Amino acid sequence: MKKAMSLVLAFALVLSLAACGGSSSAPAASSGAASTASSTAGAQPVAGVCWYNFGDTFIANARQTLNDAAAADGTVKVIDADSQNDVATQTSNMNNFYTQGVDYMVLNNINNNAITELIQQAKDKGVTLIFANSNSPTDEEFALYDNVYHVSSMAPQSGTIIGEALAKYWQEHPEADRNGDGKLNYVMLLGIQGHYDTTVRSEYSVKALNDAGIETEAVQEAICNYQRADAQNQMASILQARKDDVEAVIACNDDMALGAIEALKAAGFFADDASYIPVVGVDATKVGVEAIKDGTMLCTALNNPVILGNSVYNLTKLLSEGKELTQENLGMDGVTVEGHHIYINYVGITKDNTDDAAY
Amino acid sequence: MTTKKKFDPKQFIINNAIYLILVALVIIITVISPRFFSLDVARDILMQSAVRIVVAMGCMFIIVSGSADLSGGRMVGLTALVSASLAQQAAASLKFWPGLPELPAFVPVLVAMLVGVVLGGFNGWVVAKLKVPAFLATLGSQMIIFGFSSLYFNMEPNRSQPLGSLTQSFRDIGSASLFGVPYIVMIALVVMLIVWVLQTKTCLGKEIFAVGGNLEAARVSGINVFKIQMITYSLAGALYGLAGSMEAARTASATSAYGNAYELDAIASCIVGGCSIAGGVGTVGGVFAGVVIFNVISYGLTFIGISPYWQNVVKGLIIIGAVALDVRKYSAKK
């Protein structure tokens, strides 16, 4: 018994190595069960939706919107399942939906190396495949099957928006160059290593600054796994080491921006106008928008989950009525239709338009 | 076993490896960046360690009793959510419980601890009564607790939005100081003192060691093993609840992702701090050093600007090194 326990604990210890690196998800239970959102019977077309993670704030809102839209409209029935951020679970959920005979497969895909196979599978089953809030298939992949669609935001936009807001602040406030070296010295708070959003947000925010003619220098890049506590801890350390060099903080989401703001406050920033330091984030969470109203966070970029949920529903409805996807047929604000793509526009939120963040 | 105490440098290094590693780390980082050796840095590191210390103390109870607990991190997450939801300002724009008046700061903390006790008691009951192996029992409860966290977090009108607008008095627990000592550090020190007294000065403490050392022998000698296991899990739960509210106060927020994998960090800290995986061995001082070492690494490596990927390499090496030494320590004694 003891020996077994030691083995088990040794195993836990091995896991902890991975955990030190902040692996983002706990061991997830495989759940093939799909929940039924609307249960109207009949020859109603059915859309099976695989969300990557129900616990994600953004997904929770998009999911609620989609399910509410389906319940209110009733043209298309929506059933959904949680992939729990696990490729294997996503696969079993999809198989479950195919077995149930869905007409539309809405996939918040996390299996990004298998887009071709996913399209081939949908083609074999004769089911319309809609990639939602995930990487786009390439043009060659689109060519494999007519009934493939893609609904997502343009991730680079989020980086560009916060970079431009920071550039504007920098140009209007010469005193923001605290060490007087003519360069904008920033701390970059990254989410998860290699995560698409992290990559493009960090890249395009800095690119927007450089495009505005601002010389930049990274004081430090820190991986904070999108977590507030991690950002707060690492920022405290960076400030102890190089407080005078830090002139701005770029965070790949609001939670990390807010964690950085807590550490900045503890280090004496945000006490008055003279100790203001620009911090930008992405997501426009409620607490993020509160911070903008309070005058701490400078800017955030909103990817509206309500528009995502409604776009997905309207797309399935439109297709079930035999119509083609065009900007006019979709009839929605805040999105751009290009071929089989629906692009959801990011909106920059600053203290001038905090009302736009209410959805 | 030798009775003569002769100074043996090799044995000294083996017995005090954890403290020597800690000192060595601080020296190395200070040589690279002299500003590291300052009171401000020490205070930062202690503040960042405080929550982990409380979690690790709870975990130590369970490891010493010869059991295991994988649900601690998620319990921290759930109790952080519960305490934050009860600590919001009356006029918060997105209120978790609309209409809830502003509560004194101790109320959310107590409720969080109570939730911890109940969940810990559940763990204890499953392990001691249903005889489910602790590793599996707490793996299951980890999932149950995370499920409840997600449900709670997604309740109307909150819908999975990070909680904010916490009262100043509650936030002070995590950020204010008295005579330069942060409250959050004082709480961790008091917890350590209480755990030390409980472990070394009371009957209960000795019974926990006895159960961990040899469960059958403890049973035969008349110790109520069921009671001891219920108590250790409930105590650990109370500490996880306290840690959850400390984490919410320190970060002035909470989400369902809080506390993720803290239990594994806590287990690693306990083992590096000299707790025996087999149970029956563990000290407050060692576990404290174990927690602080990991925080010195993450704080120190960020401080000197080393790539975060290296932090994992260093942490992993230290875990392996510490356990390798630990094995020698006990094989030498036996």
Side-chain angles (χ1 to χ4, degrees), chain B residues 95-171:
Chain B
K95 197 129 158 89
F96 195 93
W97 297 110
L100 184 79
E102 236 163 78
L103 301 168
F106 70 88
V107 175
V109 179
L110 282 183
V111 174
M113 290 178 74
L114 204 66
V115 170
V117 169
V118 171
L119 295 171
F122 173 75
N123 275 339
W125 182 75
V126 173
V127 171
K129 198 78 186 176
L130 301 185
K131 309 281 183 207
V132 178
F135 183 74
L136 289 171
T138 55
L139 185 65
S141 62
Q142 178 200 66
M143 291 172 186
I144 296 171
I145 293 165
F146 182 51
F148 280 132
S149 280
S150 307
L151 287 168
Y152 190 68
F153 191 44
N154 197 35
M155 262 169 45
E156 291 288 342
N158 195 63
R159 276 205 201 170
S160 299
Q161 283 284 346
L163 274 68
S165 309
L166 308 186
T167 60
Q168 192 57 47
S169 57
F170 182 73
R171 299 180 53 169

Coordinates of all heavy atoms in Angstrom, one line a residue, chain B residues 95-171:
Chain B
K95 N -22.4 43.1 -9.7 CA -22.4 42.5 -8.4 C -22.8 41.0 -8.5 O -23.7 40.6 -9.2 CB -23.4 43.2 -7.5 CG -23.2 43.0 -6.0 CD -23.1 44.3 -5.3 CE -23.4 44.0 -3.8 NZ -22.3 43.6 -3.0
F96 N -22.0 40.1 -7.8 CA -22.3 38.7 -7.9 C -23.6 38.4 -7.3 O -24.4 37.7 -7.8 CB -21.2 37.9 -7.2 CG -21.2 36.5 -7.6 CD1 -20.4 36.0 -8.6 CD2 -21.9 35.6 -6.9 CE1 -20.4 34.6 -9.0 CE2 -22.0 34.2 -7.2 CZ -21.2 33.8 -8.3
W97 N -23.8 38.9 -6.0 CA -25.1 38.8 -5.3 C -25.7 40.1 -5.3 O -25.4 40.9 -4.3 CB -24.8 38.2 -3.9 CG -24.2 36.9 -3.9 CD1 -23.0 36.6 -3.4 CD2 -24.9 35.6 -4.2 NE1 -22.8 35.2 -3.5 CE2 -23.9 34.6 -3.9 CE3 -26.1 35.3 -4.7 CZ2 -24.2 33.3 -4.2 CZ3 -26.4 33.9 -4.9 CH2 -25.5 33.0 -4.7
P98 N -26.6 40.5 -6.2 CA -27.2 41.8 -6.2 C -27.9 42.0 -4.9 O -28.6 41.1 -4.5 CB -28.1 41.8 -7.4 CG -27.6 40.7 -8.3 CD -27.1 39.7 -7.4
G99 N -27.8 43.2 -4.4 CA -28.5 43.5 -3.1 C -27.8 43.1 -1.9 O -28.2 43.4 -0.8
L100 N -26.7 42.4 -2.0 CA -25.9 42.0 -0.8 C -25.2 43.2 -0.2 O -24.5 43.9 -0.9 CB -24.9 40.9 -1.2 CG -24.1 40.3 0.0 CD1 -24.9 39.3 0.7 CD2 -22.8 39.8 -0.5
P101 N -25.4 43.5 1.1 CA -24.8 44.7 1.7 C -23.3 44.4 1.8 O -22.8 43.2 1.7 CB -25.5 44.8 3.1 CG -26.0 43.4 3.4 CD -26.3 42.8 2.1
E102 N -22.5 45.4 2.1 CA -21.1 45.3 2.3 C -20.9 44.5 3.6 O -21.4 44.9 4.7 CB -20.4 46.7 2.4 CG -19.3 46.8 1.4 CD -19.0 48.3 1.1 OE1 -18.3 48.8 2.0 OE2 -19.4 48.8 0.1
L103 N -20.1 43.5 3.6 CA -19.9 42.7 4.8 C -18.5 43.0 5.4 O -17.6 43.4 4.6 CB -19.9 41.2 4.4 CG -21.2 40.7 3.8 CD1 -21.1 39.3 3.3 CD2 -22.4 40.7 4.9
P104 N -18.3 42.9 6.7 CA -17.0 43.1 7.3 C -16.0 42.0 6.7 O -16.5 40.9 6.3 CB -17.2 42.8 8.8 CG -18.7 42.7 9.0 CD -19.3 42.5 7.7
A105 N -14.8 42.4 6.6 CA -13.8 41.6 5.8 C -13.7 40.1 6.4 O -13.4 39.2 5.6 CB -12.4 42.2 5.9
F106 N -14.0 39.9 7.7 CA -13.8 38.6 8.2 C -14.8 37.6 7.8 O -14.6 36.4 7.8 CB -13.6 38.6 9.8 CG -14.9 39.0 10.5 CD1 -15.8 37.9 10.8 CD2 -15.3 40.3 10.8 CE1 -17.0 38.2 11.5 CE2 -16.5 40.6 11.4 CZ -17.3 39.6 11.8
V107 N -16.0 38.1 7.4 CA -17.1 37.2 7.0 C -16.7 36.4 5.8 O -16.8 35.1 5.9 CB -18.4 38.0 6.8 CG1 -19.5 37.1 6.3 CG2 -18.8 38.7 8.1
P108 N -16.3 37.0 4.7 CA -15.9 36.2 3.5 C -14.8 35.2 3.9 O -14.8 34.0 3.4 CB -15.4 37.2 2.5 CG -15.8 38.5 2.9 CD -16.2 38.4 4.4
V109 N -13.9 35.6 4.7 CA -12.8 34.7 5.1 C -13.3 33.5 5.8 O -13.0 32.3 5.5 CB -11.7 35.4 5.9 CG1 -10.6 34.4 6.3 CG2 -11.2 36.6 5.2
L110 N -14.2 33.7 6.8 CA -14.8 32.6 7.6 C -15.6 31.7 6.7 O -15.6 30.5 6.9 CB -15.6 33.2 8.7 CG -14.8 33.7 9.9 CD1 -15.8 34.2 11.1 CD2 -13.9 32.6 10.5
V111 N -16.4 32.3 5.8 CA -17.3 31.5 5.0 C -16.4 30.6 4.1 O -16.6 29.4 3.9 CB -18.2 32.3 4.1 CG1 -19.0 31.4 3.1 CG2 -19.2 33.1 5.0
A112 N -15.3 31.2 3.6 CA -14.4 30.4 2.7 C -13.8 29.2 3.5 O -13.7 28.1 3.0 CB -13.3 31.3 2.2
M113 N -13.4 29.5 4.8 CA -12.8 28.4 5.6 C -13.8 27.4 5.9 O -13.5 26.2 5.9 CB -12.3 29.0 6.9 CG -11.0 29.9 6.7 SD -10.4 30.6 8.2 CE -9.6 29.2 9.0
L114 N -15.1 27.8 6.1 CA -16.2 26.8 6.4 C -16.4 25.9 5.2 O -16.5 24.7 5.3 CB -17.4 27.6 6.7 CG -18.5 26.9 7.5 CD1 -17.9 26.6 8.9 CD2 -19.7 27.7 7.6
V115 N -16.4 26.6 4.0 CA -16.6 25.8 2.7 C -15.4 24.8 2.6 O -15.6 23.6 2.3 CB -16.6 26.7 1.5 CG1 -16.5 25.9 0.2 CG2 -17.8 27.6 1.5
G116 N -14.2 25.2 3.0 CA -13.0 24.4 3.0 C -13.2 23.2 3.9 O -12.9 22.0 3.6
V117 N -13.7 23.5 5.1 CA -13.9 22.4 6.1 C -14.9 21.3 5.6 O -14.6 20.1 5.7 CB -14.4 23.0 7.4 CG1 -14.8 21.9 8.4 CG2 -13.2 23.8 8.1
V118 N -15.9 21.8 5.0 CA -17.0 20.9 4.5 C -16.4 20.0 3.4 O -16.5 18.8 3.4 CB -18.2 21.7 4.0 CG1 -19.1 20.7 3.2 CG2 -18.9 22.4 5.1
L119 N -15.7 20.7 2.4 CA -15.1 19.9 1.3 C -14.0 19.0 1.8 O -13.9 17.8 1.4 CB -14.6 20.8 0.2 CG -15.6 21.7 -0.5 CD1 -15.0 22.7 -1.3 CD2 -16.6 20.8 -1.3
G120 N -13.2 19.5 2.7 CA -12.1 18.6 3.3 C -12.7 17.5 4.0 O -12.3 16.3 3.9
G121 N -13.8 17.7 4.8 CA -14.5 16.7 5.5 C -15.0 15.6 4.6 O -14.9 14.4 4.8
F122 N -15.5 16.1 3.4 CA -16.0 15.1 2.4 C -14.8 14.3 1.9 O -15.0 13.0 1.8 CB -16.6 15.9 1.2 CG -17.0 15.1 0.0 CD1 -18.1 14.3 0.1 CD2 -16.2 15.1 -1.1 CE1 -18.4 13.5 -1.0 CE2 -16.5 14.3 -2.2 CZ -17.6 13.5 -2.2
N123 N -13.7 14.9 1.6 CA -12.5 14.1 1.2 C -12.2 13.1 2.3 O -11.9 11.9 2.0 CB -11.3 15.0 1.1 CG -11.2 15.7 -0.3 OD1 -11.8 15.2 -1.2 ND2 -10.5 16.8 -0.3
G124 N -12.1 13.5 3.5 CA -11.8 12.6 4.6 C -12.8 11.4 4.7 O -12.4 10.3 4.9
W125 N -14.0 11.8 4.6 CA -15.1 10.7 4.7 C -14.9 9.7 3.5 O -15.0 8.5 3.8 CB -16.4 11.4 4.6 CG -17.6 10.5 4.7 CD1 -18.0 9.8 5.9 CD2 -18.4 10.0 3.7 NE1 -19.1 9.0 5.6 CE2 -19.4 9.1 4.3 CE3 -18.5 10.3 2.3 CZ2 -20.4 8.5 3.5 CZ3 -19.5 9.6 1.6 CH2 -20.4 8.8 2.2
V126 N -14.6 10.2 2.3 CA -14.5 9.3 1.2 C -13.2 8.4 1.4 O -13.3 7.2 1.2 CB -14.3 10.0 -0.2 CG1 -13.9 9.1 -1.3 CG2 -15.6 10.8 -0.5
V127 N -12.2 9.0 2.0 CA -10.9 8.2 2.2 C -11.1 7.2 3.4 O -10.8 6.0 3.3 CB -9.7 9.1 2.4 CG1 -8.5 8.3 2.8 CG2 -9.4 9.9 1.1
A128 N -11.6 7.8 4.5 CA -11.6 7.0 5.7 C -12.8 6.0 5.8 O -12.7 4.9 6.3 CB -11.6 7.9 6.9
K129 N -13.9 6.4 5.2 CA -15.1 5.6 5.4 C -15.3 4.7 4.1 O -15.5 3.5 4.3 CB -16.4 6.5 5.6 CG -17.5 5.8 6.1 CD -17.4 5.5 7.6 CE -18.5 4.7 8.2 NZ -18.2 4.5 9.7
L130 N -15.3 5.3 3.0 CA -15.5 4.5 1.8 C -14.2 3.8 1.3 O -14.3 3.0 0.4 CB -15.9 5.4 0.6 CG -17.2 6.2 0.8 CD1 -17.6 7.0 -0.4 CD2 -18.4 5.3 1.3
K131 N -13.1 4.1 2.0 CA -11.8 3.4 1.7 C -11.4 3.5 0.3 O -10.7 2.6 -0.3 CB -12.0 1.9 2.1 CG -12.5 1.6 3.4 CD -11.5 1.7 4.5 CE -12.0 1.4 5.9 NZ -11.3 2.1 6.9
V132 N -11.7 4.7 -0.3 CA -11.2 4.9 -1.7 C -9.7 5.4 -1.5 O -9.5 6.3 -0.6 CB -12.0 6.0 -2.4 CG1 -11.5 6.3 -3.7 CG2 -13.5 5.6 -2.5
P133 N -8.8 4.9 -2.3 CA -7.4 5.3 -2.1 C -7.4 6.9 -2.3 O -8.0 7.4 -3.1 CB -6.7 4.7 -3.3 CG -7.5 3.5 -3.6 CD -8.9 3.8 -3.3
A134 N -6.6 7.5 -1.4 CA -6.6 9.0 -1.3 C -6.3 9.7 -2.6 O -7.0 10.7 -2.9 CB -5.6 9.4 -0.2
F135 N -5.4 9.1 -3.4 CA -5.1 9.7 -4.6 C -6.3 9.8 -5.6 O -6.5 10.9 -6.2 CB -3.9 8.9 -5.3 CG -3.4 9.5 -6.6 CD1 -2.6 10.6 -6.6 CD2 -3.7 8.9 -7.8 CE1 -2.1 11.1 -7.7 CE2 -3.2 9.4 -9.0 CZ -2.4 10.5 -8.9
L136 N -7.0 8.7 -5.6 CA -8.2 8.7 -6.5 C -9.3 9.5 -5.9 O -10.1 10.2 -6.6 CB -8.6 7.3 -6.8 CG -7.6 6.5 -7.7 CD1 -8.0 5.0 -7.7 CD2 -7.6 7.1 -9.1
A137 N -9.5 9.4 -4.6 CA -10.6 10.1 -4.0 C -10.5 11.6 -4.2 O -11.5 12.3 -4.6 CB -10.6 9.8 -2.5
T138 N -9.3 12.1 -4.0 CA -9.1 13.5 -4.2 C -9.0 14.0 -5.6 O -9.2 15.1 -5.9 CB -7.9 14.0 -3.4 OG1 -6.7 13.3 -3.8 CG2 -8.1 13.8 -1.9
L139 N -8.6 13.0 -6.5 CA -8.6 13.3 -7.9 C -10.1 13.6 -8.3 O -10.5 14.5 -9.0 CB -8.0 12.2 -8.7 CG -7.9 12.4 -10.3 CD1 -6.9 13.6 -10.5 CD2 -7.5 11.2 -11.0
G140 N -11.0 12.7 -7.8 CA -12.4 12.8 -8.1 C -12.9 14.1 -7.5 O -13.7 14.9 -8.2
S141 N -12.6 14.4 -6.2 CA -13.2 15.6 -5.6 C -12.6 16.8 -6.3 O -13.2 17.9 -6.3 CB -12.9 15.6 -4.1 OG -11.6 15.6 -3.8
Q142 N -11.4 16.7 -6.8 CA -10.8 17.9 -7.5 C -11.7 18.2 -8.7 O -12.0 19.4 -8.9 CB -9.4 17.5 -8.0 CG -8.7 18.6 -8.9 CD -7.7 18.0 -9.8 OE1 -7.9 17.2 -10.7 NE2 -6.4 18.4 -9.5
M143 N -12.2 17.2 -9.4 CA -13.1 17.5 -10.5 C -14.4 18.0 -10.1 O -14.9 18.9 -10.7 CB -13.3 16.2 -11.4 CG -12.0 15.8 -12.1 SD -12.3 14.1 -12.8 CE -10.6 13.8 -13.4
I144 N -14.9 17.4 -9.0 CA -16.2 17.9 -8.5 C -16.1 19.3 -8.1 O -17.0 20.1 -8.5 CB -16.7 17.0 -7.3 CG1 -16.9 15.6 -7.7 CG2 -17.9 17.6 -6.6 CD1 -17.1 14.6 -6.6
I145 N -15.1 19.7 -7.4 CA -14.9 21.0 -6.9 C -14.7 22.0 -8.1 O -15.4 23.1 -8.1 CB -13.7 21.1 -5.9 CG1 -14.0 20.3 -4.7 CG2 -13.4 22.6 -5.6 CD1 -12.8 20.0 -3.8
F146 N -14.0 21.6 -9.1 CA -13.8 22.5 -10.2 C -15.1 22.7 -10.9 O -15.4 23.8 -11.4 CB -12.7 22.0 -11.2 CG -12.5 22.9 -12.3 CD1 -12.2 24.2 -12.2 CD2 -12.5 22.4 -13.6 CE1 -12.0 25.1 -13.2 CE2 -12.3 23.2 -14.7 CZ -12.0 24.6 -14.5
G147 N -15.9 21.6 -11.0 CA -17.2 21.7 -11.6 C -18.1 22.7 -10.9 O -18.7 23.6 -11.5
F148 N -18.1 22.6 -9.6 CA -18.9 23.6 -8.8 C -18.4 25.0 -8.9 O -19.1 25.9 -9.0 CB -18.9 23.2 -7.3 CG -19.8 22.1 -6.9 CD1 -19.4 21.0 -6.2 CD2 -21.1 22.1 -7.4 CE1 -20.3 20.0 -5.9 CE2 -22.0 21.1 -7.1 CZ -21.6 20.0 -6.3
S149 N -17.0 25.1 -9.0 CA -16.4 26.5 -9.2 C -17.0 27.1 -10.5 O -17.4 28.2 -10.6 CB -14.9 26.4 -9.4 OG -14.3 26.3 -8.2
S150 N -16.9 26.2 -11.6 CA -17.4 26.7 -12.9 C -18.8 27.1 -12.9 O -19.2 28.1 -13.4 CB -17.1 25.7 -14.0 OG -15.8 25.3 -13.9
L151 N -19.6 26.3 -12.2 CA -21.1 26.6 -12.1 C -21.3 27.9 -11.4 O -22.1 28.7 -11.8 CB -21.8 25.4 -11.4 CG -22.0 24.1 -12.2 CD1 -22.4 23.0 -11.3 CD2 -22.9 24.3 -13.4
Y152 N -20.6 28.0 -10.2 CA -20.8 29.2 -9.4 C -20.4 30.4 -10.2 O -21.1 31.4 -10.2 CB -19.9 29.0 -8.2 CG -20.1 30.0 -7.1 CD1 -21.3 30.1 -6.3 CD2 -19.1 31.0 -6.8 CE1 -21.5 31.0 -5.3 CE2 -19.3 31.9 -5.7 CZ -20.5 31.9 -5.0 OH -20.7 32.8 -4.1
F153 N -19.2 30.3 -10.9 CA -18.6 31.4 -11.6 C -19.6 31.8 -12.8 O -19.6 33.0 -13.1 CB -17.3 30.9 -12.2 CG -16.4 32.0 -12.8 CD1 -16.3 33.2 -12.2 CD2 -15.7 31.8 -14.0 CE1 -15.4 34.2 -12.7 CE2 -14.9 32.8 -14.5 CZ -14.8 34.0 -13.9
N154 N -20.3 30.9 -13.3 CA -21.1 31.1 -14.5 C -22.6 31.5 -14.1 O -23.4 31.7 -15.0 CB -21.1 29.9 -15.4 CG -21.6 30.3 -16.8 OD1 -21.3 31.4 -17.3 ND2 -22.3 29.4 -17.5
M155 N -22.8 31.6 -12.8 CA -24.2 32.0 -12.4 C -24.6 33.3 -12.9 O -23.8 34.2 -13.0 CB -24.3 31.9 -10.9 CG -24.8 30.6 -10.3 SD -24.6 30.5 -8.5 CE -25.1 32.1 -7.9
E156 N -25.9 33.5 -13.1 CA -26.4 34.9 -13.4 C -26.3 35.7 -12.2 O -26.5 35.2 -11.1 CB -27.9 34.8 -13.8 CG -28.2 34.1 -15.1 CD -27.7 35.0 -16.3 OE1 -27.6 36.2 -16.1 OE2 -27.5 34.5 -17.4
P157 N -26.0 37.0 -12.2 CA -25.7 37.7 -13.5 C -24.2 37.7 -13.8 O -23.8 38.4 -14.7 CB -26.2 39.1 -13.1 CG -25.9 39.2 -11.7 CD -26.0 37.9 -11.1
N158 N -23.4 36.9 -13.1 CA -22.0 37.0 -13.3 C -21.5 36.5 -14.7 O -20.6 37.0 -15.3 CB -21.2 36.4 -12.2 CG -19.8 36.8 -12.1 OD1 -19.5 38.0 -12.0 ND2 -18.8 35.9 -12.4
R159 N -22.0 35.3 -15.0 CA -21.6 34.7 -16.3 C -20.1 34.7 -16.6 O -19.7 35.2 -17.6 CB -22.3 35.4 -17.5 CG -23.7 35.0 -17.7 CD -24.1 35.3 -19.1 NE -25.5 35.3 -19.3 CZ -26.0 35.7 -20.4 NH1 -25.3 36.2 -21.4 NH2 -27.3 35.7 -20.6
S160 N -19.4 34.1 -15.7 CA -18.0 33.8 -15.9 C -17.1 35.1 -16.1 O -16.1 35.1 -16.8 CB -17.7 32.9 -17.1 OG -18.3 31.7 -16.9
Q161 N -17.6 36.2 -15.6 CA -16.8 37.4 -15.6 C -15.9 37.4 -14.4 O -16.4 37.1 -13.3 CB -17.6 38.7 -15.6 CG -18.3 39.0 -16.9 CD -17.3 39.6 -17.9 OE1 -16.2 40.1 -17.6 NE2 -17.7 39.7 -19.2
P162 N -14.6 37.8 -14.5 CA -13.7 37.9 -13.3 C -14.4 38.8 -12.3 O -14.9 39.8 -12.7 CB -12.4 38.5 -13.9 CG -12.4 38.2 -15.3 CD -13.9 38.1 -15.8
L163 N -14.3 38.4 -11.0 CA -14.9 39.2 -10.0 C -14.0 40.4 -9.6 O -12.8 40.2 -9.6 CB -15.2 38.4 -8.7 CG -16.5 37.6 -8.7 CD1 -16.5 36.5 -9.7 CD2 -16.8 37.0 -7.3
G164 N -14.7 41.5 -9.4 CA -13.9 42.7 -9.0 C -14.6 43.6 -8.0 O -15.5 43.1 -7.3
S165 N -14.2 44.8 -7.9 CA -14.8 45.8 -6.9 C -14.9 45.2 -5.5 O -15.9 45.3 -4.9 CB -16.2 46.2 -7.4 OG -16.2 46.6 -8.7
L166 N -13.8 44.7 -5.0 CA -13.8 44.2 -3.6 C -13.6 45.3 -2.6 O -13.0 46.3 -3.0 CB -12.7 43.1 -3.5 CG -12.7 42.0 -4.5 CD1 -11.7 40.9 -4.2 CD2 -14.1 41.4 -4.6
T167 N -14.2 45.2 -1.4 CA -14.1 46.2 -0.5 C -12.6 46.5 -0.1 O -11.8 45.6 -0.1 CB -14.9 45.9 0.8 OG1 -14.3 44.7 1.4 CG2 -16.3 45.7 0.5
Q168 N -12.3 47.7 0.3 CA -11.0 48.1 0.7 C -10.5 47.2 1.9 O -9.4 46.8 2.0 CB -10.9 49.6 1.0 CG -9.5 50.1 1.1 CD -8.6 49.8 -0.1 OE1 -9.1 50.0 -1.3 NE2 -7.4 49.2 0.0
S169 N -11.4 47.0 2.9 CA -11.0 46.3 4.1 C -10.6 44.9 3.8 O -9.7 44.3 4.3 CB -12.1 46.3 5.1 OG -13.3 45.8 4.6
F170 N -11.3 44.3 2.8 CA -11.0 42.9 2.4 C -9.7 42.9 1.6 O -8.8 42.1 1.9 CB -12.1 42.3 1.5 CG -11.8 40.9 1.1 CD1 -12.0 39.8 2.0 CD2 -11.5 40.6 -0.2 CE1 -11.7 38.5 1.6 CE2 -11.2 39.3 -0.6 CZ -11.3 38.2 0.3
R171 N -9.5 43.9 0.7 CA -8.2 43.9 0.0 C -7.0 44.2 0.9 O -5.9 43.8 0.5 CB -8.3 45.0 -1.1 CG -9.5 44.8 -2.1 CD -9.6 45.9 -3.1 NE -8.3 46.1 -3.8 CZ -8.1 46.8 -4.8 NH1 -9.1 47.4 -5.4 NH2 -6.9 46.9 -5.4

